Amino acid sequence: MSLIKQQDRTRSQESSAAIERMYITMRHLFNRGFYKPMGVSGETLREALLILRPEIYGTIAEEKVELNGLLYVIDRLPEGIEECRYINLTSDEGYKNSHFKPIVPPKRRRNCYRIDDEQMNIEITRGRSEIYDILTHLTFLFVESHKIMKRVVINEEGHTTRDWQKLEKAVLAEESLSQQDREIALTHTANILGRTFHEVSTIYSKFSAPSNEKRFLKLVYWLGKRAIEEIVENEKRLVTFSPVLRERLGHHIHGEVWADNIKKELESKDLLRRPIHIISANMHSVMNTLFAPVALAKEMAKKDNLEIYETLSNAGSGKLRSRVEKTAQQNGMIFIPDQSGTNIDVQIFDTAKLDLDQNNFCSKTEYPKGKEPVIIVMDYAFGEQAYETMEELLKPYEDKRKTVHLDVKSVSIMGKAGILEGGKGDIMIPSAHLFEGTADNYPFENQLKKEDLEGHGISVFDGAMITVLGTSLQNRDILRFFYESTWNVIGLEMEGAHYQKAIQAAAKLRGSISDEVKVRYAYYASDNPLETGSTLASGGLGTTGVKPTYLITEQILEQIFKD
């Protein structure tokens, strides 16, 4: 038993060291300004990733190509990136005013621009965490591309296998593939990837897009083609960081503009001096909780709240969602679409205009005129961006004539997180955030308690949570160590420590807000990285996340209206 524990500890130490090396290396490469991912300069990143073997990247350390990890990554990178030899990470440098059409990845809100056949520009507006995310995904992508290359190149002259030639013919054909031709191409692709025909047939449709049916075949082909060019023709792929990005990073440029826009809107609507409650959540749960009972009164009469929330979350319920949004705007909701580059939209709810007799949350307290709460809902931040945006939002509002300190009564954070005990859809109530890779820890008095959310058929866990440097770098060895040790860790997420650092600084040190500000943190599980088949790469939550989302939202609102 002691030998097994020693081996587990050694593996967790190796994994922890690999993460540390990756982040030190990525910072070094950023300061340098460029690197070749499959060259000498990218070797440390590749080696560390192969030692780490993150759960999200599946079989990265094996010879066969990882399919689910490839799908996860490609949904977070711009379409066509596999065709590009030059990838340039930039700041917001004016491309939105050019003829270049922005490419937005399905699972990441970032603007990307295809400059020419060989170059892709990716705008970085969300801080270092976004850079870490992209570089990690690119490293995985290029490692997989060299697996393809090794399976199809048969000599030093660059001659390729028959399977590769058949795949190339299918990809470069302009016409759509018949079922017979597609299955022939998939047969050759399966040989190239070291996978079964069943595996590649199953994954093919998951990659397909309405305008790009052959996306999977094209992805495999271009990854292999660029890797072949690197080895045979020495045409190395290159990642660069623009001078403007290197100069601006860490200056809170986007966060400052974002926060100023919110405060100016509050000032223009005479809301700046009212009690303020900040909620970090999605853009639908608070609005739906407050206004769906009224906007959809007929539908709600036949269904319970949860059923109508599930209906609203369906892609085909656009008309119902529009009715809820229209009702919300007629009753005090102000929507501020992001124009700062943070990709964080905002809703402001003036509760003085809530005239909703059917709503359970509005009759809890009678407020003096001018003291009705104002609720600011900000969309999810990304990693370290949470510190930038929260710090800027909590600063006093200043113009040429005056300085106004915001009367922030509470800050509530609701989000998705990985869980270490339990499964998808379960709820976590943290008592502290531990910042991975450092000795930093942030205990706090969470106003949300385990018992507040129990009794609804969902498991609820409380304890510490790790704020990780990137979800794509987690592996079982590190997580099992935190879970089984005296740290009592229940889950992992990317923003908690950053939010708490900003809140504590504003309340306890800088005096920007009251030191009696209340904090609420609750997360629902999007995955369990300790369970095979339950990682983020295994797919989304579907409607599993609806019930915990609204349970948490209702509890946050109930506490706000009782304060």
Side-chain angles (χ1 to χ4, degrees), residues 199-210:
E199 286 175 315
V200 295
S201 298
T202 302
I203 204 79
Y204 180 86
S205 60
K206 295 180 181 178
F207 277 89
S208 294

Side-chain angles (χ1 to χ4, degrees), residues 156-196:
E156 293 182 358
E157 285 73 39
H159 294 150
T160 54
T161 63
R162 178 174 175 271
D163 287 320
W164 179 255
Q165 293 161 16
K166 293 292 185 181
L167 172 62
E168 183 174 48
K169 182 179 178 181
V171 168
L172 298 182
E174 292 185 5
E175 63 274 6
S176 299
L177 297 177
S178 65
Q179 181 179 352
Q180 180 180 348
D181 290 338
R182 182 175 69 249
E183 291 182 350
I184 291 171
L186 287 175
T187 300
H188 296 297
T189 305
N191 289 337
I192 292 169
L193 302 181
R195 292 287 186 171
T196 66

Side-chain angles (χ1 to χ4, degrees), residues 20-128:
E20 187 176 354
R21 280 202 305 277
M22 286 196 74
Y23 278 91
I24 291 171
T25 302
M26 285 191 276
R27 288 204 172 206
H28 163 71
L29 295 174
F30 174 75
N31 290 331
R32 182 187 181 197
F34 69 94
Y35 79 104
K36 296 175 182 177
M38 299 309 292
V40 175
S41 53
E43 188 173 0
T44 303
L45 282 183
R46 299 196 308 273
E47 288 179 350
L49 201 62
L50 290 170
I51 290 170
L52 190 60
R53 298 190 299 277
E55 301 309 310
I56 224 165
Y57 295 146
T59 58
I60 185 174
E62 300 178 20
E63 287 187 11
K64 59 184 178 182
V65 173
E66 166 58 31
L67 298 181
N68 286 326
L70 198 60
L71 179 61
Y72 179 86
V73 165
I74 213 66
D75 278 347
R76 286 154 179 81
L77 293 172
E79 185 176 357
I81 196 166
E82 69 277 4
E83 301 175 20
C84 298
R85 284 182 55 214
Y86 303 101
I87 298 166
N88 185 28
L89 274 59
T90 74
S91 180
D92 180 356
E93 299 176 20
Y95 289 102
K96 61 188 174 186
N97 299 319
S98 68
H99 77 281
F100 297 114
K101 185 178 179 181
I103 305 169
V104 181
K107 299 293 179 68
R108 282 285 185 268
R109 290 171 298 174
R110 55 171 70 108
N111 288 334
C112 310
Y113 300 91
R114 185 74 178 266
I115 304 303
D116 53 37
D117 290 344
E118 294 186 308
Q119 181 176 334
M120 181 74 74
N121 281 14
I122 302 176
E123 272 188 7
I124 305 296
T125 59
R126 308 178 83 174
R128 288 190 179 90

Side-chain angles (χ1 to χ4, degrees), residues 11-23:
R11 283 196 294 269
S12 68
Q13 288 168 342
E14 286 177 350
S15 300
S16 183
I19 289 178
E20 187 176 354
R21 280 202 305 277
M22 286 196 74
Y23 278 91

Side-chain angles (χ1 to χ4, degrees), residues 400-450:
K400 295 178 182 178
R401 295 168 293 153
K402 58 186 178 303
T403 298
V404 180
H405 286 72
L406 275 63
D407 184 15
V408 178
K409 298 295 187 183
S410 73
V411 181
S412 303
I413 311 297
M414 178 186 73
K416 293 185 291 187
I419 195 168
L420 302 184
E421 179 182 351
K424 291 185 177 184
D426 289 344
I427 292 174
M428 291 157 279
I429 306 294
S431 56
H433 289 293
L434 316 174
F435 190 24
E436 181 186 49
T438 73
D440 299 350
N441 53 85
Y442 300 89
F444 51 86
E445 178 64 33
N446 195 342
Q447 298 299 307
L448 291 173
K449 306 298 180 186
K450 183 178 178 181

Side-chain angles (χ1 to χ4, degrees), residues 109 279-293 295-296 300 305-315 317-318 320-329 333-335 344-349 359 361 375-380 414-416 524 541-554 556-557:
R109 290 171 298 174
I279 303 176
S280 171
N282 52 57
M283 286 285 99
H284 55 78
S285 56
V286 173
M287 179 178 69
N288 288 349
T289 302
L290 289 175
F291 298 103
L296 307 176
M300 295 287 272
N305 285 13
L306 181 60
E307 287 179 301
I308 199 70
Y309 296 148
E310 287 181 345
T311 302
L312 286 167
S313 68
N314 292 334
S317 299
L320 292 178
R321 288 198 296 270
S322 296
R323 281 169 56 188
V324 175
E325 187 172 352
K326 184 178 179 181
T327 301
Q329 289 173 336
M333 188 190 85
I334 303 162
F335 177 63
I344 299 177
D345 295 333
V346 170
Q347 296 164 329
I348 297 173
F349 296 89
N359 196 288
F361 304 106
I375 300 173
I376 299 174
V377 179
M378 55 182 284
D379 208 345
Y380 297 123
M414 178 186 73
K416 293 185 291 187
Y524 57 95
L541 274 167
T543 57
T544 308
V546 174
K547 186 172 182 179
T549 296
Y550 284 94
L551 281 176
I552 295 169
T553 303
E554 288 179 357
I556 289 172
L557 288 173

